[in-house]
Amino acid sequence: MTATVSTKRMDLHVSPLGRVEGDLDLRVIVEDGVVTKAWTEAGMFRGFEMILKGKDPQAGLIVTPRICGICGGSHLYKSAFALDVAWRTELPPNALLVRNIAQACETLQSVPRWFYALFAIDLTNRRYAKAKGYDEAVRRFAPLVGESYERGVTLSAKPVEIYAIFGGQWPHSSFMIPGGVMCGPTLSDVTRSIAILEEFRHNWLESRFLGCSVDRWLEIKTWEDMLAWVDENESQHNSDLGFFLRFGLEIGLDKFGAGCGNYLAMGTYLHHEKYNRPTIEGRNAALIQRSGIYANGRHYEFDQARVREDHTYSFYQGSGLLHPFEGRTEPMDPAEAKRQGKYTWAKAPRYEIDGLGYVPLEVGPLARQVIAGKPGEAWQDVDPLFSDIIAKKGPSVLVRVLARLHEEAKLYKKVREWLGEIDLHDRFYIKPVEHEFGRGFGATEAARGALADWIVLENGKIANYQIITPTAWNIGPRDSQNVDGPMEQAYIGTTIQDPGDPVELGHVARSFDSCLVCTVHAYDSKTGKEIGVYRIGETG
Amino acid sequence: MATLLWFQGGACSGNTMSFLNAEEPTVCDLLTDFGIEFLWHPSLGMELGEQAQALFHALARGEKPLDIFVFEGTVIRAPHGTGRYNMFAERPMLEWVQMLAPQAGIVVAIGDCACWGGIPAVAPNPSDSIGLQFLRREFGGFLGKDFRSKLGLPVINIPGCPAHPDWITQIVVALATGRAHDIALDELNRPKTFFTSFTQTGCTRNQYFEYKQSTMEFGQGTRKGCLFYEFGCRGPMTRSPCNRILWNRQSSKTRAGMPCTGCTEPEFPFFDLAPGTVFKTQKISGTIPKDMPAGLDPISYMGLAAAARVAAPQWAKEDMFVV
């Protein structure tokens, strides 16, 4: 293809934009080599919310993990809590510990798998051939054969071995149920889990990824600390994280992909002694990794009642701004929907903030780490690092990636701690009353961000089930006010050096770690007559 | 060297994630030790946009050899048979399947969705999903009864939700090491070597099953008993090697106290998740399981169960999986 970067206005259409897990099409308008408008188009719809209607109250435990095999354990975690709330269950401490361990192990798996298999291979793009670190990037990150790729992807399977010990398998177990968990672990289940975790730490996390102890890494509290850490010694300088930080700065990953700058975390890891009677109201105060909103420089408390979904630009009947308890999923033929200006299967989640209206919010590790910057209790995740980085450098592809990587060290420590707190002689389950009527809300933080279910039970079956995925928050479309979704905003201002190989667009998409299959409502790209992918059409 | 192309239709990526858990061989070993060339995979591919599409078209036209075409997820036909609910690389995914499947040496359906529709096909099947060559147990599927790949084979079904990584990697290694002739298929076109034994084969709860001793509660209650009687476990009538080839090298659902949901069979999820069917054994007159262990009739079963309960030794009523 001819790369005609000119001062002209171009319409660039990338289909498929791979390695975002699922199908994401992207259309951007480029003016003078800079993105000025963007549309993210999710291309697939399966209708899980429609399938769940009228089914067994516990059907969500089987169905929702299958929305996304990448974060199926997270789906299970929040759908179990939604039912706990609806059935007004009691949870023994062990059940909360095991659920937390399992969910955290899924994320421990996701971080290296995402980093090596999905993100870092773009660093081997020939675009960077002139960069000083290029040969080294190829040696480490080349797909399937790179030294770090092979080790990282292979060892990413280790943390989910722990998941399998408690849940039988990963992906797609349904072992978390209202009232607790299905397993009754034995001594060796716990000791083996500890040994696997230590093997993961030793063989990858510390030796290859950090180049230092987990504790040394966690001493980093500011951006300057992080830069000093890189140059502290050879081992840190040459670890995968040390190298990524240096190379990322060299090729300018800190220069684009800022996004909307406003963040939402619904929080996760419910404390084993503080959420034994799950309710919507009691949830925020029991979260180890906290919930919250950070918008226009201020922190706000999270309240699920302020969540809405807008589908003005989504392939569903009508438009509206509905709370998920009242949510509707009525799909349209995309061909017809497009005539109404709709362009994606993703709905546009919004959050109401007094004085700001219904705003789009970025979710994910960066959101969580910004929320971690506010004061909290000693048992909670309180961490000033990313508030500091945001204040000094602002958000970018690089910062988003660093937030994700940073959490790996913290989660290792939490899992180790929780394994130590399981009381093998206590209960793991308390049989609940299966109420015929009820409403529940359950949420968590999947590796890629806030994930929540709203369930309404009537006459012993599901009357309504609505799911909002992190991917919907991030890649969702414009809303009725014509405000872009967070990822769409993140593209604006990105310089495309070569429209024939717009690697920058890939970096932005992948920094969000969107798993497109994760949008329950997912899309159709434009059905152009030509099958040309970077369709470079001059639009005047 | 064999080429492999992996596409996802109405999929959750669960089979891909499961595949990435593989050891002996790992996904990387498939390339380095067995010469499997990954032409493209939604999570592993380097190409974006046009480069990827040019490759797909070359494969569809037969200009570039395609040895193994792996499909994950359902074939989505909605709305009205157009497939527009699942667009991929600027056309409905079902058109890509139509073009690529006949060019492939073998076609592998990985996971329930690709085999027979899986969860997306549960009523009301909003996406009009169908498997490559089956819809539930009905033969035909999207490609039709007469479809054969270039090697003259029907679609090879590797079911499960998800499929265990070994179920596909060992088949790929068999192909790569000249053992294609050893791959025998059952009536659902599943490799017999994996799908003849039962999920129950190798289950640590077998001795409780033998004496008809039930687990009475989840959690600490699963330190004893079999999950078949109360919790809807389908281990005795599901064909899979889940307790022969362990999951994530560690365990299985039934070992960990979770009832088998029968996910390697076309009917999964059973009873279409109707109220009262999830994690509960369906019974006739409140006592006899509605679905018998494979091959048993209710009369024989009742006789066997009565005798077994009488014979049950004391240890069969006590915890075995203790701290």
Side-chain angles (χ1 to χ4, degrees):
Chain A
M1 152 183 350
T2 344
T4 50
V5 189
S6 66
T7 53
K8 297 244 177 70
R9 186 175 142 109
M10 295 184 309
D11 191 343
L12 197 61
H13 189 220
V14 184
S15 167
L17 188 67
R19 271 181 294 119
V20 283
E21 298 297 2
D23 308 328
L24 177 67
D25 281 13
L26 168 70
R27 193 156 71 85
V28 297
I29 301 279
V30 181
E31 284 181 68
D32 296 333
V34 175
V35 176
T36 56
K37 279 187 181 158
W39 294 263
T40 52
E41 307 174 338
M44 191 259 287
F45 176 77
R46 292 168 295 167
F48 280 85
E49 294 162 342
M50 297 165 73
I51 289 170
L52 281 164
K53 222 170 192 165
K55 301 297 194 317
D56 187 283
Q58 297 188 90
L61 305 172
I62 291 180
V63 170
T64 69
R66 270 84 179 192
I67 290 169
C68 174
I70 303 158
C71 37
S74 310
H75 275 281
L76 179 63
Y77 186 93
K78 52 77 178 131
S79 66
F81 277 111
L83 273 175
D84 283 315
V85 170
W87 278 355
R88 311 187 279 285
T89 66
E90 182 182 355
L91 293 173
N94 276 339
L96 288 153
L97 288 167
V98 170
R99 287 185 189 181
N100 287 349
I101 290 165
Q103 152 93 68
C105 283
E106 176 173 273
T107 301
L108 282 173
Q109 165 270 148
S110 184
V111 171
R113 196 168 284 186
W114 165 83
F115 179 69
Y116 295 108
L118 303 181
F119 184 83
I121 66 181
D122 277 333
L123 304 176
T124 68
N125 190 294
R126 64 185 181 281
R127 158 78 55 75
Y128 303 122
K130 288 195 181 116
K132 216 163 55 195
Y134 183 72
D135 291 345
E136 184 60 20
V138 172
R139 198 183 65 75
R140 289 179 196 238
F141 301 139
L144 298 168
V145 295
E147 199 182 299
S148 298
Y149 180 105
E150 189 169 357
R151 175 97 76 100
V153 169
T154 303
L155 285 172
S156 70
K158 286 292 158 194
V160 287
E161 290 187 4
I162 300 172
Y163 195 107
I165 286 173
F166 294 100
Q169 69 178 64
W170 188 93
H172 292 348
S173 174
S174 300
F175 82 108
M176 303 177 197
I177 39 166
V181 290
M182 287 173 169
C183 60
T186 66
L187 175 62
S188 68
D189 289 336
V190 171
T191 54
R192 182 178 292 273
S193 297
I194 293 171
I196 292 169
L197 189 65
E198 292 306 313
E199 183 195 352
F200 179 70
R201 172 185 63 78
H202 180 79
N203 286 345
W204 178 73
L205 181 56
E206 290 187 344
S207 59
R208 176 156 302 250
F209 184 64
L210 297 174
C212 66
S213 71
V214 165
D215 289 331
R216 168 64 193 93
W217 170 260
L218 292 177
E219 283 168 17
I220 297 172
K221 301 294 177 205
T222 64
W223 175 240
E224 291 77 19
D225 286 354
M226 197 181 278
L227 294 177
W229 170 88
V230 179
D231 292 322
E232 187 172 80
N233 56 44
E234 282 283 296
S235 168
Q236 287 158 207
H237 191 78
N238 291 322
S239 69
D240 280 352
L241 185 45
F243 173 73
F244 168 70
L245 189 54
R246 290 185 285 120
F247 191 64
L249 288 168
E250 187 191 352
I251 63 176
L253 296 184
D254 56 333
K255 300 286 190 280
F256 62 97
C260 62
N262 294 334
Y263 303 96
L264 162 70
M266 294 190 188
T268 191
Y269 307 124
L270 288 146
H271 191 280
H272 62 285
E273 286 169 342
K274 300 182 195 298
Y275 202 56
N276 308 90
R277 293 280 186 178
T279 59
I280 295 177
E281 300 72 32
R283 189 176 174 278
N284 280 344
L287 290 164
I288 295 172
Q289 202 165 48
R290 288 168 296 162
S291 63
I293 289 92
Y294 181 79
N296 290 15
R298 273 191 60 189
H299 283 284
Y300 300 85
E301 285 293 305
F302 168 67
D303 177 2
Q304 63 79 31
R306 289 171 178 262
V307 173
R308 296 289 183 277
E309 279 195 299
D310 183 305
H311 59 279
T312 308
Y313 288 95
S314 317
F315 298 154
Y316 304 95
Q317 300 290 348
S319 62
L321 197 64
L322 300 173
H323 183 271
F325 276 136
E326 276 73 48
R328 288 199 303 264
T329 304
E330 296 157 348
M332 292 177 73
D333 183 338
E336 186 197 329
K338 280 183 185 169
R339 285 195 287 273
Q340 300 177 15
K342 294 171 182 269
Y343 63 92
T344 180
W345 282 111
K347 291 179 186 170
R350 293 293 183 266
Y351 188 88
E352 186 189 16
I353 297 176
D354 294 337
L356 298 178
Y358 292 94
V359 296
L361 297 169
E362 175 178 335
V363 301
L366 180 55
R368 290 195 287 268
Q369 290 311 309
V370 167
I371 300 305
K374 65 180 178 181
E377 306 280 340
W379 52 272
Q380 293 178 312
D381 179 21
V382 179
D383 184 343
L385 177 59
F386 280 84
S387 301
D388 181 80
I389 295 179
I390 291 290
K392 288 172 182 157
K393 284 193 67 66
S396 63
V397 166
L398 182 85
V399 171
R400 200 172 284 117
V401 172
L402 287 174
R404 196 176 303 279
L405 301 178
H406 177 59
E407 286 194 336
E408 191 77 349
K410 296 210 260 193
L411 283 180
Y412 154 78
K413 283 188 82 85
K414 290 315 280 185
V415 173
R416 188 74 174 74
E417 179 189 319
W418 292 326
L419 282 167
E421 280 173 324
I422 290 177
D423 178 354
L424 290 167
H425 299 281
D426 198 1
R427 296 176 295 182
F428 288 82
Y429 173 76
I430 299 170
K431 194 174 165 51
V433 177
E434 302 190 3
H435 295 286
E436 296 226 310
F437 291 82
R439 277 182 170 216
F441 165 71
T444 189
E445 291 288 327
R448 47 208 51 78
L451 171 62
D453 283 1
W454 286 260
I455 184 173
V456 180
L457 298 176
E458 285 172 13
N459 301 310
K461 51 189 177 192
I462 294 171
N464 196 5
Y465 207 109
Q466 292 286 319
I467 305 145
I468 303 187
T469 64
T471 299
W473 280 102
N474 286 336
I475 68 114
R478 287 154 176 70
D479 56 31
S480 61
Q481 305 299 308
N482 272 309
V483 178
D484 292 7
M487 196 198 281
E488 291 176 333
Q489 293 187 34
Y491 284 112
I492 309 297
T494 301
T495 304
I496 307 293
Q497 289 188 25
D498 174 8
D501 190 6
V503 62
E504 298 88 352
L505 302 181
H507 287 322
V508 173
R510 281 172 212 126
S511 74
F512 281 93
D513 188 14
S514 48
C515 47
L516 239 271
V517 276
C518 222
T519 52
V520 191
H521 338 277
Y523 152 43
D524 170 67
S525 127
K526 47 165 62 170
T527 45
K529 353 172 193 63
E530 289 173 33
I531 317 276
V533 181
Y534 307 132
R535 187 134 25 115
I536 301 181
E538 296 187 5
T539 56
Chain B
M1 199 64 150
T3 59
L4 186 150
L5 178 73
W6 185 312
F7 270 14
Q8 293 175 341
C12 74
S13 266
N15 291 288
T16 290
M17 288 297 120
S18 187
F19 181 60
L20 289 172
N21 291 337
E23 290 191 39
E24 296 138 9
T26 66
V27 175
C28 298
D29 293 341
L30 283 178
L31 171 67
T32 51
D33 297 345
F34 298 101
I36 304 298
E37 184 193 350
F38 288 85
L39 294 173
W40 197 80
H41 179 290
S43 302
L44 306 173
M46 269 297 276
E47 293 83 1
L48 283 166
E50 191 174 76
Q51 300 130 294
Q53 286 198 33
L55 168 70
F56 307 154
H57 282 286
L59 293 167
R61 287 192 297 262
E63 292 163 10
K64 196 172 159 61
L66 174 57
D67 297 313
I68 307 169
F69 178 42
V70 179
F71 195 72
E72 173 179 5
T74 62
V75 178
I76 287 178
R77 296 177 298 181
H80 323 299
T82 62
R84 283 197 294 262
Y85 276 18
N86 180 21
M87 299 295 288
F88 175 75
E90 310 219 353
R91 47 170 77 213
M93 178 55 94
L94 61 77
E95 291 181 12
W96 286 113
V97 174
Q98 238 152 10
M99 293 188 295
L100 289 163
Q103 299 291 346
I106 66 163
V107 177
V108 178
I110 186 151
D112 284 351
C113 290
C115 292
W116 23 70
I119 286 188
V122 170
N125 192 354
S127 56
D128 197 7
S129 276
I130 190 170
L132 283 182
Q133 212 167 11
F134 282 85
L135 176 59
R136 297 282 180 248
R137 199 168 281 273
E138 188 189 333
F139 188 45
F142 177 69
L143 293 170
K145 286 179 186 169
D146 298 330
F147 172 82
R148 292 295 179 273
S149 62
K150 281 211 160 148
L151 288 180
L153 294 167
V155 173
I156 296 177
N157 285 330
I158 314 273
C161 191
H164 187 294
D166 270 35
W167 307 346
I168 182 160
T169 57
Q170 304 309 335
I171 292 295
V172 170
V173 172
L175 294 169
T177 56
R179 289 195 170 271
H181 58 279
D182 283 332
I183 303 172
L185 303 179
D186 70 6
E187 75 283 2
L188 292 167
N189 292 335
R190 304 178 291 196
K192 282 185 178 174
T193 187
F194 296 129
F195 299 98
T196 303
S197 61
F198 295 95
T199 306
Q200 193 178 23
T201 311
C203 179
T204 50
R205 298 175 188 279
N206 267 338
Q207 285 172 298
Y208 289 109
F209 178 77
E210 193 175 351
Y211 292 111
K212 308 297 164 225
Q213 299 299 311
S214 179
T215 301
M216 296 313 291
E217 198 170 276
F218 284 125
Q220 60 285 350
T222 62
R223 296 195 185 286
K224 69 173 174 191
C226 171
L227 302 160
F228 170 71
Y229 308 100
E230 296 296 329
F231 298 109
C233 183
R234 304 197 63 85
M237 48 270 192
T238 299
R239 308 279 183 163
S240 93
C242 289
N243 279 299
R244 286 198 293 141
I245 303 171
L246 294 181
W247 282 84
N248 309 90
R249 305 162 73 85
Q250 300 298 331
S251 195
S252 71
K253 292 204 290 293
T254 61
R255 289 183 181 204
M258 180 179 161
C260 166
T261 52
C263 77
T264 53
E265 300 294 338
E267 291 79 8
F268 172 82
F270 280 78
F271 314 111
D272 268 0
L273 302 164
T277 64
V278 174
F279 306 136
K280 292 183 179 75
T281 301
Q282 304 300 295
K283 295 178 190 173
I284 304 165
S285 41
T287 48
I288 312 156
K290 209 169 174 178
D291 288 344
M292 289 284 122
L296 271 188
D297 63 86
I299 304 292
S300 315
Y301 174 80
M302 282 161 66
L304 174 73
R309 277 193 211 100
V310 171
Q314 186 54 36
W315 61 257
K317 300 168 197 242
E318 292 168 0
D319 287 0
M320 196 187 304
F321 312 110
V322 296
V323 177

